[in-house]
Amino acid sequence: MTDAKALREAFLRAFPGEKAAGLIRAPGRVNLIGEHTDYYGYPVLPMAIDRELLTAFAPTPDGTIEIANTDARFPRRSFQASIPLKPFPQGDWANYVQAAVRGLLQEGGLPDPARGFRAVYSGNIPDSAGLSSSSALVVVSGLVFLTANGTPYNPLALADLLARAERYVGTESGGMDQAISLLGQPGKALRIDFFPLRARPVSLPAGYTFVISHSLVRASKSAAARSQYNLRVVECRLACALAAQAISRTIGRSVTAERLSDLAPEKLGLPAGQADRTAQEILGEHPWSLSDVAAALRVSPDEANGRYCTLRDGSRAPEPVEGFKLGKRYRHVTSEARRVEQAVQALEQGDVQRFGDLMNESHASCRDDYEVSCPELEALVAIARAHGALGARLTGAGFGGSSVNLVALSQTNQFMEAMKREFYAGRIQEKITSEVLFETAAAGGAGPILVEEP
Ligand code: NG1
Protein backbone atom coordinates (compact mmCIF):
# COMPACT_ATOMS: atom_id res chain seq x y z
CA MET A 1 0.00 0.00 0.00
CA THR A 2 1.57 3.31 -1.00
CA ASP A 3 -1.66 5.16 -1.58
CA ALA A 4 -1.67 8.45 0.39
CA LYS A 5 -5.31 8.23 1.47
CA ALA A 6 -4.93 4.66 2.67
CA LEU A 7 -1.80 5.62 4.57
CA ARG A 8 -3.58 8.47 6.37
CA GLU A 9 -6.25 5.98 7.39
CA ALA A 10 -3.60 3.54 8.58
CA PHE A 11 -2.15 6.37 10.69
CA LEU A 12 -5.53 6.93 12.30
CA ARG A 13 -5.87 3.24 13.06
CA ALA A 14 -2.36 3.04 14.54
CA PHE A 15 -2.72 6.24 16.58
CA PRO A 16 -6.45 6.67 17.30
CA GLY A 17 -7.60 10.25 17.75
CA GLU A 18 -4.54 11.71 16.06
CA LYS A 19 -4.27 13.14 12.56
CA ALA A 20 -1.19 12.89 10.33
CA ALA A 21 0.53 16.25 9.92
CA GLY A 22 2.28 15.32 6.70
CA LEU A 23 3.41 12.65 4.27
CA ILE A 24 6.95 12.07 3.14
CA ARG A 25 8.34 9.63 0.57
CA ALA A 26 11.78 8.24 -0.22
CA PRO A 27 12.50 6.10 -3.29
CA GLY A 28 14.59 2.95 -3.60
CA ARG A 29 17.27 2.85 -6.27
CA VAL A 30 18.82 0.67 -8.88
CA ASN A 31 22.50 1.01 -9.59
CA LEU A 32 23.16 0.92 -13.32
CA ILE A 33 26.94 0.63 -13.09
CA GLY A 34 29.68 1.34 -10.53
CA GLU A 35 29.32 -1.56 -8.11
CA HIS A 36 31.33 -1.67 -4.89
CA THR A 37 33.13 1.53 -5.78
CA ASP A 38 31.43 4.07 -3.51
CA TYR A 39 33.21 3.18 -0.28
CA TYR A 40 36.59 3.57 -2.00
CA GLY A 41 35.74 7.04 -3.26
CA TYR A 42 35.08 6.07 -6.87
CA PRO A 43 31.91 7.13 -8.72
CA VAL A 44 28.62 5.28 -9.22
CA LEU A 45 25.71 5.67 -11.66
CA PRO A 46 22.38 4.81 -10.03
CA MET A 47 18.84 6.05 -10.63
CA ALA A 48 16.02 6.43 -8.10
CA ILE A 49 13.16 4.06 -8.95
CA ASP A 50 9.41 4.43 -8.89
CA ARG A 51 9.21 2.12 -5.85
CA GLU A 52 9.16 4.01 -2.61
CA LEU A 53 8.68 4.10 1.10
CA LEU A 54 5.97 6.43 2.27
CA THR A 55 5.26 7.65 5.76
CA ALA A 56 2.44 9.58 7.42
CA PHE A 57 3.61 11.30 10.59
CA ALA A 58 2.83 13.78 13.35
CA PRO A 59 5.33 15.43 15.74
CA THR A 60 5.30 14.62 19.47
CA PRO A 61 6.38 17.41 21.82
CA ASP A 62 7.76 15.07 24.51
CA GLY A 63 10.47 13.40 22.37
CA THR A 64 8.65 10.09 21.99
CA ILE A 65 9.22 8.31 18.70
CA GLU A 66 6.58 5.72 17.97
CA ILE A 67 6.64 3.86 14.68
CA ALA A 68 4.26 1.38 13.08
CA ASN A 69 4.33 -0.35 9.72
CA THR A 70 1.54 -1.57 7.46
CA ASP A 71 3.67 -4.66 6.80
CA ALA A 72 3.10 -7.04 9.71
CA ARG A 73 6.70 -8.30 9.54
CA PHE A 74 7.78 -4.99 11.08
CA PRO A 75 6.36 -4.66 14.59
CA ARG A 76 5.47 -1.43 16.35
CA ARG A 77 8.40 0.15 18.22
CA SER A 78 9.01 3.16 20.40
CA PHE A 79 12.02 5.01 21.82
CA GLN A 80 13.06 8.51 22.86
CA ALA A 81 14.68 11.11 20.58
CA SER A 82 17.71 11.45 22.81
CA ILE A 83 21.25 10.06 23.05
CA PRO A 84 22.09 7.36 24.13
CA LEU A 85 19.74 5.26 22.01
CA LYS A 86 19.48 1.64 22.92
CA PRO A 87 19.50 -0.45 19.72
CA PHE A 88 16.86 -3.11 19.09
CA PRO A 89 18.08 -6.66 18.32
CA GLN A 90 20.17 -7.01 15.16
CA GLY A 91 18.06 -6.95 12.00
CA ASP A 92 15.17 -5.03 13.60
CA TRP A 93 13.68 -2.40 11.26
CA ALA A 94 13.62 0.23 14.03
CA ASN A 95 17.44 0.27 14.07
CA TYR A 96 17.37 2.05 10.69
CA VAL A 97 15.02 4.69 12.08
CA GLN A 98 17.31 5.02 15.10
CA ALA A 99 20.33 5.36 12.79
CA ALA A 100 18.79 8.47 11.20
CA VAL A 101 17.73 9.91 14.56
CA ARG A 102 21.14 9.28 16.13
CA GLY A 103 22.98 10.76 13.12
CA LEU A 104 20.86 13.92 13.19
CA LEU A 105 21.14 14.35 16.96
CA GLN A 106 24.90 13.95 16.83
CA GLU A 107 25.74 15.83 13.64
CA GLY A 108 22.61 17.54 12.34
CA GLY A 109 22.36 20.38 14.84
CA LEU A 110 19.11 19.15 16.39
CA PRO A 111 18.63 19.78 20.13
CA ASP A 112 19.02 16.77 22.40
CA PRO A 113 16.38 15.85 23.49
CA ALA A 114 14.50 16.81 20.31
CA ARG A 115 10.82 16.63 19.37
CA GLY A 116 9.82 13.11 18.41
CA PHE A 117 7.20 11.80 16.01
CA ARG A 118 4.56 9.17 15.49
CA ALA A 119 4.71 7.60 12.06
CA VAL A 120 3.22 4.85 9.99
CA TYR A 121 5.41 3.45 7.22
CA SER A 122 4.31 1.69 4.08
CA GLY A 123 6.29 0.80 1.00
CA ASN A 124 6.63 -1.24 -2.16
CA ILE A 125 10.43 -1.54 -2.49
CA PRO A 126 11.18 -5.26 -2.31
CA ASP A 127 13.52 -5.83 0.64
CA SER A 128 16.81 -7.78 0.54
CA ALA A 129 16.74 -7.21 -3.21
CA GLY A 130 19.68 -4.84 -3.67
CA LEU A 131 17.25 -1.95 -4.22
CA SER A 132 18.09 -0.01 -1.05
CA SER A 133 14.91 -0.36 0.91
CA SER A 134 17.08 0.12 4.01
CA SER A 135 18.43 3.47 2.86
CA ALA A 136 14.95 4.62 1.88
CA LEU A 137 13.96 3.87 5.47
CA VAL A 138 16.89 5.86 6.85
CA VAL A 139 16.25 8.76 4.47
CA VAL A 140 12.50 8.97 5.04
CA SER A 141 13.00 8.77 8.83
CA GLY A 142 15.63 11.51 8.70
CA LEU A 143 13.24 13.77 6.79
CA VAL A 144 10.39 13.06 9.19
CA PHE A 145 12.61 13.83 12.19
CA LEU A 146 13.86 17.09 10.65
CA THR A 147 10.34 18.13 9.68
CA ALA A 148 8.96 17.32 13.12
CA ASN A 149 11.61 19.67 14.54
CA GLY A 150 11.07 22.38 11.91
CA THR A 151 14.74 22.10 10.88
CA PRO A 152 15.64 23.00 7.28
CA TYR A 153 18.18 20.87 5.44
CA ASN A 154 20.50 20.85 2.48
CA PRO A 155 19.92 17.60 0.54
CA LEU A 156 23.59 17.07 -0.34
CA ALA A 157 24.81 17.58 3.24
CA LEU A 158 21.96 15.45 4.54
CA ALA A 159 22.83 12.60 2.13
CA ASP A 160 26.38 12.66 3.45
CA LEU A 161 25.26 12.66 7.06
CA LEU A 162 22.72 9.86 6.57
CA ALA A 163 25.29 7.70 4.76
CA ARG A 164 27.51 7.87 7.85
CA ALA A 165 24.46 7.36 10.06
CA GLU A 166 23.39 4.15 8.31
CA ARG A 167 26.74 2.56 9.17
CA TYR A 168 25.53 2.32 12.77
CA VAL A 169 23.48 -0.62 11.58
CA GLY A 170 26.70 -2.52 10.96
CA THR A 171 27.60 -2.38 7.26
CA GLU A 172 30.73 -0.46 6.30
CA SER A 173 28.75 0.92 3.39
CA GLY A 174 29.44 3.78 1.01
CA GLY A 175 27.20 6.76 0.33
CA MET A 176 25.48 5.89 -2.93
CA ASP A 177 22.08 4.84 -1.64
CA GLN A 178 21.23 7.75 0.60
CA ALA A 179 22.45 10.21 -2.04
CA ILE A 180 20.35 8.83 -4.88
CA SER A 181 17.29 8.45 -2.67
CA LEU A 182 17.52 12.15 -1.75
CA LEU A 183 18.79 13.62 -5.01
CA GLY A 184 17.23 11.41 -7.73
CA GLN A 185 15.69 13.18 -10.76
CA PRO A 186 12.84 11.92 -12.96
CA GLY A 187 14.10 10.48 -16.24
CA LYS A 188 17.77 10.71 -15.20
CA ALA A 189 20.50 8.64 -13.69
CA LEU A 190 22.98 10.45 -11.44
CA ARG A 191 26.71 10.20 -11.63
CA ILE A 192 27.64 10.46 -7.97
CA ASP A 193 31.16 11.23 -6.78
CA PHE A 194 32.35 11.06 -3.20
CA PHE A 195 34.74 12.86 -0.83
CA PRO A 196 33.24 15.40 -1.26
CA LEU A 197 29.80 14.21 -2.34
CA ARG A 198 28.74 15.55 -5.76
CA ALA A 199 25.95 14.54 -8.15
CA ARG A 200 25.46 15.20 -11.86
CA PRO A 201 22.34 14.16 -13.83
CA VAL A 202 22.85 11.94 -16.87
CA SER A 203 19.97 11.52 -19.36
CA LEU A 204 18.76 8.01 -20.05
CA PRO A 205 18.22 6.84 -23.60
CA ALA A 206 14.77 7.29 -25.11
CA GLY A 207 13.17 4.09 -26.37
CA TYR A 208 14.75 1.87 -23.72
CA THR A 209 13.78 0.79 -20.24
CA PHE A 210 15.27 -0.97 -17.23
CA VAL A 211 13.71 -4.19 -16.02
CA ILE A 212 14.54 -5.45 -12.56
CA SER A 213 14.52 -9.17 -11.88
CA HIS A 214 14.99 -10.71 -8.44
CA SER A 215 17.19 -13.80 -8.19
CA LEU A 216 14.91 -15.12 -5.42
CA VAL A 217 17.99 -15.26 -3.18
CA ARG A 218 17.51 -12.79 -0.37
CA ALA A 219 20.56 -10.59 0.13
CA SER A 220 19.91 -9.72 3.74
CA LYS A 221 22.27 -7.18 5.26
CA SER A 222 21.72 -8.63 8.71
CA ALA A 223 23.16 -12.01 7.79
CA ALA A 224 26.00 -13.61 5.80
CA ALA A 225 25.85 -10.97 3.06
CA ARG A 226 26.88 -8.38 5.64
CA SER A 227 30.07 -10.16 6.66
CA GLN A 228 30.94 -10.78 3.00
CA TYR A 229 30.36 -7.09 2.25
CA ASN A 230 32.50 -6.02 5.19
CA LEU A 231 35.22 -8.48 4.16
CA ARG A 232 35.44 -6.80 0.74
CA VAL A 233 35.87 -3.44 2.48
CA VAL A 234 38.71 -4.88 4.58
CA GLU A 235 40.36 -6.49 1.54
CA CYS A 236 40.45 -3.16 -0.26
CA ARG A 237 41.90 -1.42 2.82
CA LEU A 238 44.72 -3.99 2.78
CA ALA A 239 45.17 -3.64 -0.99
CA CYS A 240 45.28 0.13 -0.61
CA ALA A 241 48.00 0.04 2.08
CA LEU A 242 50.18 -2.35 0.07
CA ALA A 243 49.67 -0.45 -3.18
CA ALA A 244 50.45 2.93 -1.56
CA GLN A 245 53.69 1.53 -0.14
CA ALA A 246 54.74 0.03 -3.49
CA ILE A 247 53.89 3.21 -5.41
CA SER A 248 55.83 5.33 -2.87
CA ARG A 249 58.86 3.12 -3.42
CA THR A 250 58.60 3.33 -7.21
CA ILE A 251 58.20 7.10 -7.45
CA GLY A 252 60.58 7.91 -4.61
CA ARG A 253 58.16 9.97 -2.51
CA SER A 254 55.73 8.98 0.18
CA VAL A 255 52.13 8.54 -0.90
CA THR A 256 49.40 8.41 1.71
CA ALA A 257 46.10 6.90 0.70
CA GLU A 258 43.04 6.61 2.87
CA ARG A 259 41.09 4.87 0.14
CA LEU A 260 41.80 3.38 -3.28
CA SER A 261 40.64 6.48 -5.16
CA ASP A 262 43.53 8.41 -3.55
CA LEU A 263 45.78 6.32 -5.80
CA ALA A 264 44.09 7.44 -9.03
CA PRO A 265 46.73 8.76 -11.49
CA GLU A 266 45.23 12.27 -11.61
CA LYS A 267 45.41 12.54 -7.82
CA LEU A 268 49.03 11.36 -7.76
CA GLY A 269 49.99 13.41 -10.81
CA LEU A 270 51.34 10.29 -12.51
CA PRO A 271 50.91 9.08 -16.09
CA ALA A 272 47.83 6.86 -16.50
CA GLY A 273 48.67 3.22 -15.92
CA GLN A 274 51.92 3.64 -13.98
CA ALA A 275 50.49 3.46 -10.46
CA ASP A 276 48.06 0.78 -11.58
CA ARG A 277 50.84 -1.46 -12.90
CA THR A 278 52.86 -1.07 -9.71
CA ALA A 279 49.83 -1.87 -7.58
CA GLN A 280 48.82 -4.87 -9.64
CA GLU A 281 52.39 -6.18 -9.55
CA ILE A 282 52.68 -6.09 -5.76
CA LEU A 283 49.19 -7.45 -5.16
CA GLY A 284 49.61 -10.31 -7.67
CA GLU A 285 47.02 -13.01 -8.27
CA HIS A 286 47.70 -15.08 -5.15
CA PRO A 287 45.70 -14.97 -1.92
CA TRP A 288 47.36 -13.20 1.04
CA SER A 289 47.36 -14.21 4.68
CA LEU A 290 47.21 -11.44 7.29
CA SER A 291 50.75 -12.26 8.38
CA ASP A 292 51.99 -11.93 4.74
CA VAL A 293 50.38 -8.51 4.53
CA ALA A 294 51.81 -7.50 7.91
CA ALA A 295 55.31 -8.65 6.92
CA ALA A 296 55.12 -6.69 3.64
CA LEU A 297 53.96 -3.58 5.49
CA ARG A 298 56.58 -4.13 8.23
CA VAL A 299 54.08 -4.13 11.08
CA SER A 300 53.06 -6.90 13.46
CA PRO A 301 50.07 -9.10 12.49
CA ASP A 302 48.28 -7.68 15.55
CA GLU A 303 48.81 -4.14 14.39
CA ALA A 304 47.69 -4.98 10.84
CA ASN A 305 44.62 -6.67 12.26
CA GLY A 306 43.76 -3.66 14.45
CA ARG A 307 44.45 -1.08 11.77
CA TYR A 308 42.76 -2.67 8.76
CA CYS A 309 40.34 -5.36 9.94
CA THR A 310 38.48 -3.40 12.63
CA LEU A 311 34.86 -2.70 11.82
CA ARG A 312 32.79 0.21 13.00
CA ASP A 313 31.31 -1.71 15.92
CA GLY A 314 34.82 -2.55 17.17
CA SER A 315 34.70 -6.18 16.04
CA ARG A 316 37.34 -7.57 13.67
CA ALA A 317 36.56 -9.07 10.26
CA PRO A 318 37.83 -12.67 10.47
CA GLU A 319 40.65 -13.73 8.15
CA PRO A 320 39.08 -15.86 5.37
CA VAL A 321 40.33 -19.46 5.20
CA GLU A 322 41.15 -19.03 1.51
CA GLY A 323 43.10 -15.82 2.23
CA PHE A 324 42.55 -12.21 1.18
CA LYS A 325 42.24 -11.89 -2.63
CA LEU A 326 43.80 -8.48 -2.93
CA GLY A 327 44.82 -8.38 -6.62
CA LYS A 328 41.37 -9.40 -7.80
CA ARG A 329 39.58 -6.94 -5.55
CA TYR A 330 41.86 -4.09 -6.62
CA ARG A 331 41.32 -4.93 -10.30
CA HIS A 332 37.55 -4.93 -9.93
CA VAL A 333 37.37 -1.59 -8.16
CA THR A 334 39.75 0.27 -10.47
CA SER A 335 38.34 -1.21 -13.70
CA GLU A 336 34.78 -0.57 -12.51
CA ALA A 337 35.68 3.06 -11.83
CA ARG A 338 36.87 3.37 -15.45
CA ARG A 339 33.67 1.69 -16.67
CA VAL A 340 31.57 4.32 -14.90
CA GLU A 341 33.41 7.10 -16.77
CA GLN A 342 32.94 5.24 -20.06
CA ALA A 343 29.28 4.51 -19.33
CA VAL A 344 28.51 8.17 -18.69
CA GLN A 345 30.26 9.03 -21.94
CA ALA A 346 28.32 6.35 -23.84
CA LEU A 347 25.01 7.69 -22.51
CA GLU A 348 25.95 11.26 -23.34
CA GLN A 349 26.80 10.18 -26.88
CA GLY A 350 23.58 8.15 -27.20
CA ASP A 351 25.57 4.92 -27.68
CA VAL A 352 23.14 2.52 -26.05
CA GLN A 353 24.86 -0.66 -27.23
CA ARG A 354 28.18 0.50 -25.73
CA PHE A 355 26.39 1.22 -22.45
CA GLY A 356 24.90 -2.30 -22.47
CA ASP A 357 28.32 -3.83 -23.19
CA LEU A 358 29.76 -1.97 -20.20
CA MET A 359 26.96 -3.31 -18.00
CA ASN A 360 27.91 -6.83 -19.14
CA GLU A 361 31.61 -6.20 -18.45
CA SER A 362 30.73 -4.86 -15.01
CA HIS A 363 28.82 -8.03 -14.27
CA ALA A 364 31.76 -10.22 -15.32
CA SER A 365 34.09 -8.26 -13.05
CA CYS A 366 31.66 -8.49 -10.11
CA ARG A 367 31.51 -12.25 -10.67
CA ASP A 368 35.16 -13.09 -11.41
CA ASP A 369 37.18 -10.50 -9.50
CA TYR A 370 34.88 -9.29 -6.74
CA GLU A 371 33.10 -12.62 -6.35
CA VAL A 372 29.71 -11.27 -5.34
CA SER A 373 27.53 -13.15 -7.82
CA CYS A 374 25.73 -16.47 -7.28
CA PRO A 375 24.35 -19.23 -9.58
CA GLU A 376 20.85 -17.74 -9.62
CA LEU A 377 22.13 -14.32 -10.72
CA GLU A 378 24.22 -16.04 -13.39
CA ALA A 379 21.14 -17.86 -14.69
CA LEU A 380 19.17 -14.60 -14.72
CA VAL A 381 21.71 -12.59 -16.72
CA ALA A 382 22.23 -15.44 -19.21
CA ILE A 383 18.49 -15.72 -19.87
CA ALA A 384 18.16 -11.94 -20.06
CA ARG A 385 20.92 -11.62 -22.66
CA ALA A 386 19.51 -14.49 -24.71
CA HIS A 387 16.17 -12.67 -24.86
CA GLY A 388 17.14 -9.22 -25.96
CA ALA A 389 18.71 -7.41 -22.98
CA LEU A 390 21.43 -5.14 -24.33
CA GLY A 391 23.04 -5.27 -20.92
CA ALA A 392 22.29 -7.39 -17.85
CA ARG A 393 24.11 -7.28 -14.54
CA LEU A 394 23.70 -7.86 -10.85
CA THR A 395 22.89 -4.65 -9.03
CA GLY A 396 23.63 -3.56 -5.47
CA ALA A 397 25.85 -5.50 -3.13
CA GLY A 398 25.19 -8.87 -4.78
CA PHE A 399 25.25 -12.26 -2.97
CA GLY A 400 21.69 -12.62 -4.29
CA GLY A 401 19.28 -9.74 -4.72
CA SER A 402 18.42 -8.48 -8.19
CA SER A 403 19.76 -8.00 -11.67
CA VAL A 404 19.05 -4.99 -13.86
CA ASN A 405 18.40 -5.35 -17.57
CA LEU A 406 18.56 -2.74 -20.31
CA VAL A 407 15.79 -3.55 -22.78
CA ALA A 408 14.33 -1.81 -25.86
CA LEU A 409 10.82 -0.59 -25.04
CA SER A 410 9.46 -2.37 -28.09
CA GLN A 411 10.71 -5.70 -26.69
CA THR A 412 9.75 -5.33 -23.06
CA ASN A 413 6.71 -7.59 -23.07
CA GLN A 414 8.46 -10.34 -24.95
CA PHE A 415 11.44 -10.02 -22.63
CA MET A 416 9.34 -10.24 -19.46
CA GLU A 417 7.49 -13.28 -20.80
CA ALA A 418 10.76 -15.05 -21.55
CA MET A 419 12.10 -14.28 -18.05
CA LYS A 420 8.91 -15.65 -16.50
CA ARG A 421 8.99 -18.77 -18.59
CA GLU A 422 12.69 -19.57 -18.35
CA PHE A 423 13.65 -18.39 -14.88
CA TYR A 424 10.64 -17.98 -12.63
CA ALA A 425 8.18 -20.66 -13.78
CA GLY A 426 10.37 -23.52 -12.56
CA ARG A 427 11.24 -21.78 -9.30
CA ILE A 428 8.04 -20.33 -7.90
CA GLN A 429 4.70 -22.01 -7.68
CA GLU A 430 2.59 -18.94 -6.91
CA LYS A 431 1.86 -16.09 -9.29
CA ILE A 432 4.95 -14.28 -10.55
CA THR A 433 4.38 -10.86 -9.03
CA SER A 434 5.76 -7.39 -9.62
CA GLU A 435 7.76 -7.95 -6.43
CA VAL A 436 10.17 -10.12 -8.39
CA LEU A 437 10.00 -8.89 -11.99
CA PHE A 438 9.15 -5.34 -12.95
CA GLU A 439 9.91 -2.52 -15.32
CA THR A 440 11.01 0.68 -13.64
CA ALA A 441 11.43 4.36 -14.48
CA ALA A 442 13.80 6.94 -13.01
CA ALA A 443 12.01 8.82 -10.23
CA GLY A 444 12.58 12.04 -8.29
CA GLY A 445 14.29 12.19 -4.90
CA ALA A 446 12.78 12.03 -1.42
CA GLY A 447 10.62 14.77 0.05
CA PRO A 448 7.18 15.77 1.28
CA ILE A 449 4.34 14.71 -0.97
CA LEU A 450 1.56 16.55 0.84
CA VAL A 451 1.37 18.69 3.94
CA GLU A 452 -1.90 18.71 5.80
CA GLU A 453 -3.10 21.08 8.47
CA PRO A 454 -1.93 19.72 11.85
P1 NG1 B 1 22.74 -2.53 -1.30
O1 NG1 B 1 23.12 -3.69 -0.50
O2 NG1 B 1 22.41 -2.86 -2.68
O3 NG1 B 1 21.71 -1.65 -0.67
C1 NG1 B 1 25.29 -1.74 -0.84
C2 NG1 B 1 25.76 -0.45 -0.18
C3 NG1 B 1 26.15 0.61 -1.21
C4 NG1 B 1 27.12 0.05 -2.25
C5 NG1 B 1 26.55 -1.26 -2.83
C6 NG1 B 1 27.51 -1.96 -3.78
C7 NG1 B 1 24.50 -0.25 1.95
C8 NG1 B 1 23.45 0.49 2.67
N1 NG1 B 1 24.70 0.10 0.67
O4 NG1 B 1 24.05 -1.54 -1.44
O5 NG1 B 1 26.71 1.72 -0.54
O6 NG1 B 1 28.39 -0.16 -1.70
O7 NG1 B 1 26.24 -2.20 -1.80
O8 NG1 B 1 27.79 -1.17 -4.88
O9 NG1 B 1 25.17 -1.10 2.50
Side-chain angles (χ1 to χ4, degrees):
M1 174 186 67
T2 51
D3 169 57
K5 183 166 172 281
L7 191 65
R8 266 183 255 121
E9 286 163 11
F11 184 91
L12 262 176
R13 277 195 304 278
F15 307 110
E18 225 178 310
K19 198 173 160 217
L23 266 73
I24 291 182
R25 60 173 275 283
R29 66 99 180 95
V30 62
N31 191 18
L32 303 179
I33 196 162
E35 220 59 85
H36 290 278
T37 49
D38 58 350
Y39 43 100
Y40 304 120
Y42 279 123
V44 292
L45 188 71
M47 67 183 209
I49 57 174
D50 48 2
R51 296 289 181 111
E52 60 193 13
L53 185 59
L54 194 63
T55 164
F57 70 97
T60 59
D62 66 350
T64 301
I65 293 178
E66 207 169 346
I67 53 173
N69 201 307
T70 57
D71 186 330
R73 287 175 304 162
F74 306 116
R76 194 175 174 119
R77 298 283 185 227
S78 78
F79 55 94
Q80 289 296 308
S82 175
I83 304 282
L85 285 163
K86 188 169 169 288
F88 292 91
Q90 196 184 336
D92 196 291
W93 76 290
N95 288 336
Y96 291 89
V97 182
Q98 275 195 346
V101 168
R102 181 187 287 109
L104 284 165
L105 285 173
Q106 287 177 337
E107 297 183 44
L110 268 79
D112 182 359
R115 297 184 93 190
F117 56 86
R118 294 203 170 86
V120 173
Y121 293 72
S122 184
N124 60 4
I125 312 169
D127 63 307
S128 303
L131 302 175
S132 285
S133 60
S134 68
S135 299
L137 178 53
V138 172
V139 166
V140 89
S141 303
L143 291 182
V144 166
F145 192 40
L146 285 165
T147 312
N149 282 280
T151 310
Y153 64 91
N154 164 315
L156 207 61
L158 181 63
D160 225 13
L161 184 155
L162 291 178
R164 285 191 296 281
E166 186 165 340
R167 293 191 199 121
Y168 284 110
V169 183
T171 308
E172 306 278 317
S173 53
M176 157 167 61
D177 306 347
Q178 304 77 8
I180 188 68
S181 184
L182 270 158
L183 307 168
Q185 293 188 15
K188 314 264 183 196
L190 288 191
R191 176 195 160 132
I192 303 178
D193 285 86
F194 303 92
F195 310 105
L197 183 64
R198 285 149 291 157
R200 173 157 74 84
V202 179
S203 293
L204 292 166
Y208 294 85
T209 190
F210 291 99
V211 173
I212 292 174
S213 38
H214 198 297
S215 65
L216 305 178
V217 177
R218 288 172 59 80
S220 170
K221 274 294 172 42
S222 48
R226 182 168 77 157
S227 28
Q228 281 299 324
Y229 184 99
N230 289 343
L231 172 60
R232 297 297 182 281
V233 177
V234 165
E235 285 179 309
C236 282
R237 284 185 200 153
L238 295 170
C240 183
L242 287 166
Q245 187 194 52
I247 294 167
S248 305
R249 256 200 313 260
T250 315
I251 63 174
R253 71 178 153 89
S254 162
V255 162
T256 46
E258 222 180 295
R259 51 189 75 86
L260 282 174
S261 60
D262 295 335
L263 299 176
E266 59 280 9
K267 286 219 181 135
L268 296 178
L270 294 178
Q274 184 187 346
D276 214 34
R277 273 192 303 276
T278 310
Q280 220 48 104
E281 224 170 80
I282 176 84
L283 299 172
E285 291 294 318
H286 60 287
W288 290 69
S289 69
L290 189 62
S291 50
D292 290 343
V293 178
L297 293 173
R298 299 206 182 81
V299 297
S300 70
D302 251 10
E303 197 177 337
N305 193 2
R307 205 183 287 173
Y308 303 108
C309 304
T310 306
L311 304 176
R312 201 187 160 86
D313 64 2
S315 67
R316 304 267 168 98
E319 184 172 348
V321 189
E322 70 278 18
F324 296 110
K325 300 182 185 171
L326 305 185
K328 282 177 161 224
R329 308 304 188 237
Y330 174 89
R331 188 164 53 222
H332 167 73
V333 174
T334 48
S335 66
E336 185 73 354
R338 282 192 293 273
R339 280 187 289 273
V340 174
E341 307 279 352
Q342 294 162 351
V344 169
Q345 227 172 50
L347 285 177
E348 285 172 349
Q349 293 165 353
D351 190 344
V352 184
Q353 184 55 61
R354 171 80 180 129
F355 183 70
D357 291 344
L358 288 161
M359 288 176 72
N360 292 337
E361 287 170 29
S362 163
H363 181 82
S365 178
C366 284
R367 177 192 59 219
D368 301 333
D369 280 342
Y370 223 59
E371 299 181 280
V372 295
S373 188
C374 64
E376 294 79 358
L377 281 167
E378 289 312 309
L380 266 181
V381 298
I383 296 169
R385 287 175 197 155
H387 291 280
L390 279 83
R393 56 178 298 278
L394 68 85
T395 184
F399 316 105
S402 304
S403 64
V404 56
N405 311 285
L406 170 63
V407 183
L409 268 176
S410 57
Q411 292 188 23
T412 316
N413 287 344
Q414 232 172 294
F415 175 80
M416 307 261 278
E417 284 314 309
M419 295 290 273
K420 284 183 188 166
R421 202 173 54 241
E422 295 194 18
F423 185 81
Y424 294 105
R427 288 178 168 85
I428 36 184
Q429 307 311 318
E430 340 59 272
K431 194 167 164 283
I432 300 158
T433 64
S434 60
E435 281 279 291
V436 298
L437 180 69
F438 61 96
E439 191 187 340
T440 189
I449 58 167
L450 176 77
V451 179
E452 293 179 309
E453 289 299 305

